[in-house]
């Protein structure tokens, strides 16, 4: 049975969001078009930003998912990433705290899409 291999995040400006994610994750797009930009995050798995149909993307629409970055190593790696992202001016929604799965914090991209940093499960 096939497994999911494309993870889309809706954005208002694909170019701005591609630059944001390129800088945030130190990666370059594998495919670029005016409204859709894809990043290969592992063989045969893509993360993409897409403007979709702009009529469907009201800026006030609530976000219902999170992009996750799981880091291995000690809990202080979460805090170090928080400090790095804060120094870059990334919007931090929730500063680091301890939850049932370990140390975590939540940031947001330019459209308010959430990005959770946490330890590897």
């Amino acid at each position: 049975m096939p497994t999911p291999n494309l993870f889309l995040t809706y954005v208002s400006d694909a170019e701005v969001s591609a630059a944001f994610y390129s800088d945030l994750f130190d990666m370059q797009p594998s495919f670029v078009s005016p409204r859709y930009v894809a990043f290969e995050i592992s063989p045969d798995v893509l993360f993409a930003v897409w403007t979709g149909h702009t009529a469907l993307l009201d800026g006030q629409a609530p976000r219902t998912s999170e992009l996750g970055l799981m880091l291995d190593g000690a809990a202080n790696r979460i805090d170090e990433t928080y400090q790095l992202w804060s120094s870059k001016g990334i919007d931090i929604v929730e500063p680091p705290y301890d939850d049932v799965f370990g140390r975590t914090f939540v940031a947001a991209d330019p459209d308010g899409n959430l990005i959770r940093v946490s330890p590897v499960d």
Side-chain angles (χ1 to χ4, degrees), residues 5-97:
N5 59 4
L6 173 62
F7 300 91
L8 289 170
T9 296
Y10 287 96
V11 298
S12 57
D13 185 317
E15 185 177 340
V16 167
S17 293
F20 172 85
Y21 284 108
S22 287
D23 179 59
L24 187 68
F25 296 129
D26 192 25
M27 62 183 180
Q28 296 303 310
S30 58
F31 179 84
V32 177
S33 74
R35 297 182 354 196
Y36 175 87
V37 179
F39 299 88
E40 184 175 30
I41 54 176
S42 70
D44 299 322
V45 179
L46 297 177
F47 163 69
V49 295
W50 185 35
T51 61
H53 301 286
T54 55
L56 299 176
L57 296 176
D58 177 352
Q60 302 303 313
R63 305 301 180 197
T64 58
S65 63
E66 293 181 357
L67 174 66
L69 174 63
M70 295 192 307
L71 301 175
D72 59 359
N76 67 340
R77 185 149 183 231
I78 304 295
D79 293 324
E80 290 168 359
T81 302
Y82 165 76
Q83 292 296 330
L84 174 64
W85 288 13
S86 293
S87 73
K88 289 183 170 192
I90 304 299
D91 180 21
I92 303 299
V93 177
E94 285 186 308
Y97 66 96

Side-chain angles (χ1 to χ4, degrees), residues 92-111:
I92 303 299
V93 177
E94 285 186 308
Y97 66 96
D98 295 316
D99 209 323
V100 295
F101 49 82
R103 194 84 171 142
T104 187
F105 74 91
V106 180
D109 75 4
D111 287 286

